[in-house]
Amino acid sequence: MKHTIKLAAKTLLLISAVTLTSCYSWFETKGSYDTSIMVDSLDDLLRIETVNTTLESPSQLIVSQGEYPDTIKLTWKSVENAKSYRVERATINAGDEIPTDDTQYTKIRDYVYALNYTDKLLDSPTSTSEAYGKKYVYRICAENIGKGYTSSGYTDPTTEETNGEGWLLPPPSKVDAWKGKSTDTIQVSWQSVENAQNYDIYRGEKENGTGMEKIGSVRGNQNTYDNVLLSSEQGVEFYYKVMAITAAGNQSVLSSIAMGYSLTQGAPTAPDNIQVTNGLGTGDKALNISWDPVTSADPNITHTYSLYRTSSQDSVFTLIKNNIPESTTSWTDSSVKQGLIYYYYVQTIATNTSTEEKQKSAFSETGPDSSTPAKGFILSAPASLEVLDSSTEGKVNLKWSPAVGSNFEGVNFTYTVYSCDTENGTFTTLLEGITGTESSGYLTEEIDAKKFYKISTVNVNTAKESDMSSAAAPMPPAPTQVTASRTKKLSDSVMTANDLGVYPVEISWTKAEDAYAYYVFRSTSATGPFRKLNDAPTTDNTYIDSYEGAKAGVLYYYRVVSVNTLGQGNKGNDPSSDSFDTSGQFKDKWRTSWGYGAITRDQWFREYNKTVKASQKKLTLMHKSNDMDKLGSETINGDISGTLSYKAAIAGLGAEITMPYSNYADFYIADDSSLGVYFTLTGNTDTTSNMSANGNMHGTVKCTGMYPGQALYNNLEIKGGAAGGGYYAVTTNDLSGNVILSEDRVDWTVGEE
């Protein structure tokens, strides 16, 4: 009887050892144990701890709005277990809606370890920097690459909590100064700046704006400043700039420059009847300005003229020509550009030939606010042209902005459309005399589908035609047959696993007609949001996703978007409705664009062992408190399918434990039954030992599911009733049964971490 009891105790050690071969994390739990402690129950051995491996999206994202002249600052709330954050940005025009299309967002920084980020948009900001006319929309996600955490989703920039829209602190715009409206005052005016608490006004006497000094300050609710002049300053040309200052003391850059002066007693008058004689788009290279002469009864007084202009782009007065002789009452301005409306001003300068004293008139009242503005524009092509889809086969819809000046009284424009098979080829006439249909400030016209388009403006009154616009092309269709690899053996050049034991995914597709290149996007949801993977589009039809944060057991969803040679495009496959992959185990469950990488042998064993550990926990005999009660046999069922049987018996001077699996499964992929079974086990994990509780395990378990393969136990050693040496032999396969990693050793300590 003593011998039997002693043998039973040794057998118990061996039974316990069966469960100690590879205890480790499984799904949302992790187990740990100390093999130096002798225990009679697995319940004493396992200490289960819940771990959340999916990060929450960052909350309370705050983006600065008009606070800094060159940067936008972001802050957000910490995410538990996050190690770093990824920041993406979309750029829009002021007034545009916040974009929801993933293709409009671009990564600006990975691995932000703080809870804030400063986006430096301008290195040397000036009053004319285009960034001041833009808005910037941000979204961020939390990451913990290398620690097995799934990255969070992106913040939603459309919600009030995230406040993802930001902009720079602009300088005051439309700065103007009186030019001869008073003899003792020059009033400076500007357009208000949001967030401005104060404005500082600067003045100088140099046209280039150097040497300016601050002369005054007003509160933020004011947008004018009266510069009262000394008698010695009357008639002097001064130049002004304005700076906005926020409540936090942040300063904008100085505004554009504005020239002003006061009128002196006896100053001449400005010319009358100033007009642009070819101002309604009848000229295509230059504008002709004319005015009535100014005369004087004093024979000692001679006159010259100075011609200035502003434009629809800015309010800065630009000197076009000075010292125009008295006998000349017209000038041709050849420095004009397409797409702008110009406003002209003439100033009279009276010179006393005997004293050489000069006096200046006020500027003519011919600006945009005048009842008789001297305005004009050259004939210009539409500034924007876009090609949209049409519901009519063989057709597209052209969308363009009306040519500058279209809304002027007396203007009659039509448009001519040109097409070509190449971007830089010879464009020929496709359609003439169209006027388009107005919609939301744009014009549209259905037209025959071609490779490339340009458009010009025709002045019906003069039959003159503008230059052609820049080329536009249809957005290419989405690529077809987008396919992502699943536990696939790739070429040796890319078959490198990340720190989590996961190999890359290969995405391939059939190229779309007229597509030049492609962007590849990835998500952990079939409906997004999606992350752009390649900063520059690829002209290939394959892409290797070597994602350093890829995690075993996670299915990834891929979207490929086509772009044309102009970089335009937003059409891609829809991973939520791509065709099903009807081959292999997951037939009618997975779309072709769903994929994941193969895993290393060590990681394969860890993933496989999740099911092993879960199954053993269900057994009852091996957890009995009485040693003799642990002998016997039982069978338990998998949560999804199959059985695990257990039989422990004394065999000669040792013990024999058999534990066969039959189609056993406990877990679904990502805990989602629609995705299929994670691991299904069939085979044996048996153990034979002597009276010293030393021996070997033997048997093979073959697995199907997300990561097919097999584990061979024949080389695992049992020492003193516990796993104590040797190795498992692991082979991994793809879903079709082909070998990815041939049989090789996995050390017995794998899973013991």
Side-chain angles (χ1 to χ4, degrees), residues 62-75 117-122 125 131-132 134-136 138 163 165-171 193-198 243-253:
I62 299 175
V63 179
S64 65
Q65 298 178 330
E67 291 291 338
Y68 309 98
D70 54 355
T71 60
I72 293 178
K73 296 187 177 182
L74 293 69
T75 62
Y117 178 73
T118 298
D119 187 13
K120 186 71 175 292
L121 294 167
L122 294 173
Y132 291 124
K134 304 291 184 181
K135 288 194 174 181
Y136 302 89
Y138 298 86
N163 183 30
E165 188 176 24
W167 55 87
L168 297 173
L169 171 64
V193 173
E194 186 177 359
N195 293 343
Q197 180 164 294
N198 296 289
M243 173 190 291
I245 303 171
T246 69
N250 300 320
Q251 299 176 336
S252 75
V253 296

